[in-house]
Amino acid sequence: MPVTTEDDVQILFCKWEEVSLRALLNRGARVHLVLDAFDLDHARPDPELLGKMAAVWRVSHDDSIDELSAVAADLLVSGVHIDRIASFTEFSQFGAGLLAELLGLDDTSPRLALNARDKRMMKIKAKAAGWRHARFIDVSRHDQRPDPATLAETVGFPMVAKPVNGMGSLSTTLVRDAGRLEALLKQPSFAPELHSHQLVLEEHISGSEYHVDAVWRRGKPWQLHISRYLRPRIEAVDPGHDNGSLIVPRDDDPELYAYVEERHVALNAELGFDTGVTHLELFRTGAGEIYFSEIATRLAGANVPEAIGAYCGVNLREAWVHELCGGSPESLEYTDPPFRYVGWINLAPACDGVISDMPSKEDLAADPNILEWTFLHKVGDRVELAHPSVWCLLLVIGADTIEDFHAAVARIEREHPLSVAGIDTNGGS
Ligand SMILES: Nc1ncnc2c1ncn2[C@@H]1O[C@H](COP(=O)(O)OP(=O)(O)OP(=O)(O)O)[C@@H](O)[C@H]1O
Ligand SMILES: [Mg+2]
């Protein structure tokens, strides 16, 4: 792919993400990297790659105002002019907003981070942009004892309880009745990754769940794809079964694309966002009503960028990096899809344990529906299937019809199992 880059663009990158970092360096960017303790202690960054960075900082976590302010001061004192900030994960959105403010950049801001991270703020902004959203009420103040009856009356059962600054569906639960609501209010539990301990309770919207992924420059989308999750994320209890999504071809549902694009542009304006990458989620009910669910100003996770790349020839991550480096949209080379329906799935063992067997690259390459694979684990790794986003072996798959796509998912899950020691995933043990 021909690449247009500004010479020596200086990027401040928050969190470790090897593929994007390599892509930025390959385009000649100078990368200043902020890593948190988790990155350094668990992700074990490649020292050779770290050596190619213009600078590397370690902060204890990405919400630490004093540590990030010291990073900003380092840059300001040394006279380095940062052109762009790239924040890869939810963890670093508030921190990136602070850094942008201190460095005088407009990629993001503390206000954008608030609007795109807080589940209440994003709904208020979505409503102003013409979207429908679930009824909600929060349980957030230390000095207030919420009345379960009022909460139930406002939202109704079943309801979804989730952290106001949630991510990765952590600590997100379906509350079916008054007994469970009382128990939740008495003892709410929050995953250690979540710093603010405030909850929002939402009307449960049933139907299909979609995600929308786009790269923008100055308010215009370079590429925008709508994908349907194979099942709503909250129902994906088994990380290795029907855990993925399928890109909706634009000409299958032009009305959906038109509806979403118009409101996405309006929502960006309400949020204070105009350049970068977004991941928006929505529901469509059986009656065809569309509800905004949430938005994030970050790259989609799992194999979404790869599925989009296989579908249109330009990986979402590549488009994001290209935009960050000052490339032009015309220099991205799009291609026709290899199959009408392209999506991704996760393969995982049936239960926790040490992986004893998994498909080989040769097995995967020989499968007529498998287009790409990403191994997140290898034989000998211990996996704990604590939540649906435990990625083990991510695949991009394709098929000519929706029915064939779903049949391929079922067949691939059956024919390419991952086993854990002592357990045969085909049913025996
Ligand atoms: N109001 C709702 N009605 C129905 N399902 C919901 C609702 N809110 C959340 N969910 C389900 O819970 C999942 C997680 O909620 P949400 O997307 O708001 O949180 P998150 O932790 O930020 O997500 P992500 O995993 O995308 O980072 C959603 O993908 C959806 O399946
Ligand atoms: Mg979500």
Side-chain angles (χ1 to χ4, degrees), residues 119 134 160 162 166-170 172 202-205 209 232-234 281 283 294 298:
K119 308 276 184 197
V160 177
K162 53 192 183 186
M167 58 188 137
S169 305
L170 294 171
T172 298
E202 289 184 16
E203 166 194 12
H204 176 261
I205 309 296
E209 187 174 2
R233 298 294 302 147
I234 205 166
E281 294 179 325
F283 302 106
E294 67 155 345
R298 61 157 172 91

Side-chain angles (χ1 to χ4, degrees), residues 82-344:
I82 296 292
D83 297 295
R84 301 291 301 272
I85 293 193
S87 171
F88 174 66
T89 64
E90 298 288 30
F91 294 102
S92 48
Q93 299 300 314
F94 288 112
L98 175 79
L99 285 165
E101 170 69 25
L102 297 177
L103 297 173
L105 302 176
D106 60 7
D107 293 73
T108 179
S109 68
R111 192 183 301 276
L112 171 58
L114 171 72
N115 290 342
R117 284 293 291 124
D118 189 288
K119 308 276 184 197
R120 301 159 295 179
M121 292 301 296
M122 61 177 74
K123 284 190 194 50
I124 288 167
K125 300 296 176 188
K127 186 171 183 191
W131 295 86
R132 219 180 262 115
H133 63 69
R135 293 187 301 274
F136 69 94
I137 188 165
D138 55 24
V139 179
S140 61
R141 282 175 49 177
H142 183 66
D143 64 336
Q144 284 179 339
R145 187 178 286 262
D147 168 28
T150 309
L151 299 176
E153 208 171 291
T154 310
V155 176
F157 292 112
M159 61 174 76
V160 177
K162 53 192 183 186
V164 295
N165 288 323
M167 58 188 137
S169 305
L170 294 171
S171 312
T172 298
T173 49
L174 193 59
V175 181
R176 294 184 188 280
D177 52 45
R180 298 213 192 148
L181 178 59
E182 297 245 8
L184 175 82
L185 295 174
K186 209 175 274 173
Q187 206 163 23
S189 78
F190 292 91
E193 293 88 340
L194 303 166
H195 294 148
S196 68
H197 286 189
Q198 301 185 12
L199 276 181
V200 60
L201 306 176
E202 289 184 16
E203 166 194 12
H204 176 261
I205 309 296
S206 50
S208 305
E209 187 174 2
Y210 293 77
H211 58 93
V212 183
D213 297 281
V215 171
W216 309 81
R217 180 178 284 166
R218 289 190 274 285
K220 299 252 178 311
W222 277 14
Q223 56 159 258
L224 183 148
H225 291 95
I226 303 180
S227 307
R228 180 174 54 78
Y229 287 113
L230 301 184
R231 57 174 66 199
R233 298 294 302 147
I234 205 166
E235 289 171 25
V237 282
D238 173 355
H241 178 54
D242 262 357
N243 191 3
S245 71
L246 168 63
I247 297 168
V248 179
R250 192 171 273 268
D251 52 8
D252 267 18
D253 205 337
E255 292 84 16
L256 179 66
Y257 271 88
Y259 185 97
V260 166
E261 273 168 356
E262 189 188 328
R263 282 160 187 76
H264 205 320
V265 168
L267 173 61
N268 293 351
E270 291 291 333
L271 295 172
F273 168 92
D274 79 349
T275 298
V277 64
T278 50
H279 175 71
L280 180 149
E281 294 179 325
L282 59 89
F283 302 106
R284 178 146 66 171
T285 66
E289 286 181 329
I290 292 168
Y291 280 74
F292 168 84
S293 174
E294 67 155 345
I295 180 136
T297 52
R298 61 157 172 91
L299 194 66
N303 242 13
V304 174
E306 287 72 18
I308 290 174
Y311 183 69
C312 72
V314 179
N315 180 307
L316 181 70
R317 180 187 284 100
E318 280 295 320
W320 177 50
V321 164
H322 188 67
E323 196 292 315
L324 274 170
C325 289
S328 69
E330 295 76 31
S331 57
L332 293 170
E333 286 181 0
Y334 289 90
T335 53
D336 288 336
F339 289 96
R340 182 162 179 80
Y341 295 94
V342 172
W344 63 275

